[in-house]
Amino acid sequence: MTATRYEGNKKISVVEGCKKAPKANEVTVEIAYSGICGTDLHIFHGVMDERVGKPHIMGHECSGVIEAVGSDVSGLSIGDKVVVRPLDPCGACYACQHGMSHICYNLNFMGVDTDGSMQSYWTVPASTIHKIPQDMDLKNAALVEPVAVAVHDVNRSGLKAGDKAVVIGGGPIGILVALVAKSFGADVVISEINPFRLGFAKDLGIDTVNPTEKDLVTYVNTWTDGVGADVCFEVSGSKPGAMVMTEVVKTRGKVVLVGIYGQPAEVNLKQMWLREVELIGARVYEDIDYDLAIDLVAKNDYSFDKLITKVAPLEELQDILDGMDTDQQGMKVLVKC
Ligand SMILES: [Zn+2]
Ligand SMILES: [Zn+2]
């Protein structure tokens, strides 16, 4: 049993022997792979020290095999291949009582608010487990969590086949939103300024535009015969993204806010009023998003696996995270647990 712990100040320690037996309603998962998310990097950089306890085990994008099952758990067996939906809601608040427990007012986001999957065994509530096909590749399965984010974003938008969608931001989530939108039958363009990410999206067959070279609004107007896109996904979390998001959609078009804004940002509300634009927040995922994400990743018709740009052992987490600060040429790094 090996676990990695964030100790503060960009320090990761590797510790042995802290496996927890499952309580009655829990299972223990032998973690196969755990993906590194932007959130993990934020934790590593100390940006989230006020929220994250120390020492802290990071990780919330994982795949694995059930190793032990609590006495009250039914429908899950030792040896099942699974992924974890890392949300532990309170069950009592307004959101939980109205079918929106994924955005519980008191949500425990596992891996951030409590210990996560960057360890060889993770003991979690059985309610967070989704079984995956027994022949599914466990490396690809570690992508289910970020793909479920993208599925939720697309589901929130009401996107239909034949719609045109603009995705602002071409990082891992932006690319996954574009691929999921394509799987829904939409025409998609990604707006991104980083040359590596532009090339990466192009290699996956996604159209791209660099707004520092071509004005995004002009580009979209030409693409849509002056109508505007049906949906814009703002994934960048940037001020220019917030400013332009209401300007690229058609009358009664939809803007889905995916990026996280730590600070308030300016929005062109006049355009929102003029075109009766709908602004929709989208955060994490629901059960049904996970089910579709598992299906999409298992079939892999949209080459989700190409996002995995590196796989390295858990013991090297310190080096991996140090390296990610200097090397921006990666997409999704998986840690083999
Ligand atoms: Zn994440
Ligand atoms: Zn709640």
Side-chain angles (χ1 to χ4, degrees):
M1 166 73 195
T2 305
T4 52
R5 302 193 306 187
Y6 165 70
E7 304 279 358
N9 202 20
K10 292 193 179 187
K11 270 276 156 290
I12 302 291
S13 63
V14 179
V15 293
E16 298 296 329
C18 38
K19 191 166 152 187
K20 282 189 198 135
K23 294 190 197 115
N25 60 349
E26 291 181 333
V27 300
T28 300
V29 181
E30 182 178 7
I31 302 295
Y33 296 94
S34 188
I36 297 177
C37 172
T39 307
D40 300 319
L41 279 172
H42 284 315
I43 294 172
F44 177 65
H45 289 148
V47 182
M48 297 171 74
D49 277 2
E50 274 179 29
R51 178 169 166 193
V52 174
K54 276 180 279 190
H56 173 74
I57 302 173
M58 303 191 289
H60 56 269
E61 307 179 357
C62 67
S63 62
V65 175
I66 292 192
E67 194 259 345
V69 179
S71 55
D72 289 353
V73 176
S74 60
L76 296 172
S77 312
I78 291 168
D80 285 346
K81 279 190 182 178
V82 296
V83 291
V84 176
R85 189 166 43 86
L87 307 180
D88 185 16
C90 76
C93 73
Y94 175 84
C96 286
Q97 300 276 308
H98 291 80
M100 297 173 284
S101 62
H102 69 294
I103 44 172
C104 166
Y105 284 62
N106 312 300
L107 186 66
N108 165 18
F109 189 87
M110 297 153 58
V112 177
D113 300 307
T114 50
D115 282 342
S117 57
M118 298 273 182
Q119 51 181 333
S120 23
Y121 296 92
W122 192 21
T123 299
V124 297
S127 59
T128 66
I129 294 289
H130 286 250
K131 280 206 251 187
I132 59 174
Q134 290 305 292
D135 60 354
M136 191 167 173
D137 183 295
L138 284 169
K139 261 192 223 105
N140 294 354
L143 295 172
V144 165
E145 195 268 359
V147 171
V149 170
V151 168
H152 186 64
D153 301 336
V154 175
N155 274 336
R156 289 282 289 149
S157 76
L159 192 79
K160 301 180 301 294
D163 280 356
K164 287 192 160 85
V166 177
V167 179
I168 301 174
I173 295 294
I175 286 183
L176 291 175
V177 168
L179 292 176
V180 171
K182 278 167 87 94
S183 81
F184 275 55
D187 284 334
V188 186
V189 65
I190 285 185
S191 172
E192 170 62 51
I193 57 174
N194 174 314
F196 169 76
R197 290 180 165 185
L198 283 164
F200 199 93
K202 265 186 218 145
D203 288 346
L204 283 167
I206 304 165
D207 290 332
T208 59
V209 55
N210 182 344
T212 62
E213 289 169 1
K214 245 181 241 167
D215 177 63
L216 183 61
V217 177
T218 311
Y219 176 92
V220 172
N221 280 334
T222 308
W223 180 44
T224 59
D225 296 326
V227 173
D230 298 277
V231 177
C232 171
F233 297 94
E234 202 316 281
V235 190
S236 72
S238 70
K239 288 196 169 179
M243 184 47 103
V244 81
M245 66 188 183
T246 56
E247 299 175 31
V248 293
V249 287
K250 66 177 190 180
T251 48
R252 295 205 177 163
K254 290 171 180 166
V255 174
V256 180
L257 197 60
V258 180
I260 302 170
Y261 285 83
Q263 298 293 324
E266 264 184 277
V267 177
N268 187 344
L269 292 174
K270 183 173 179 195
Q271 196 66 6
M272 199 167 159
W273 169 80
L274 207 61
R275 290 193 166 176
E276 296 192 353
V277 170
E278 265 182 77
L279 179 60
I280 300 165
R283 182 177 151 212
V284 290
Y285 26 66
E286 299 171 68
D287 258 27
I288 50 161
D289 303 316
Y290 246 67
D291 293 337
L292 180 55
I294 290 167
D295 199 44
L296 284 170
V297 177
K299 286 191 184 128
N300 201 31
D301 291 342
Y302 293 87
S303 305
F304 292 107
D305 59 326
K306 293 229 170 77
L307 262 90
I308 303 170
T309 44
K310 185 175 178 177
V311 182
L314 182 63
E315 290 77 7
E316 291 174 17
L317 185 60
Q318 176 84 58
D319 289 344
I320 300 166
L321 292 170
D322 287 339
M324 287 173 84
D325 280 345
T326 48
D327 176 18
Q328 308 291 332
Q329 305 287 298
M331 270 292 160
K332 185 56 75 182
V333 179
L334 298 189
V335 176
K336 192 172 190 302
C337 298

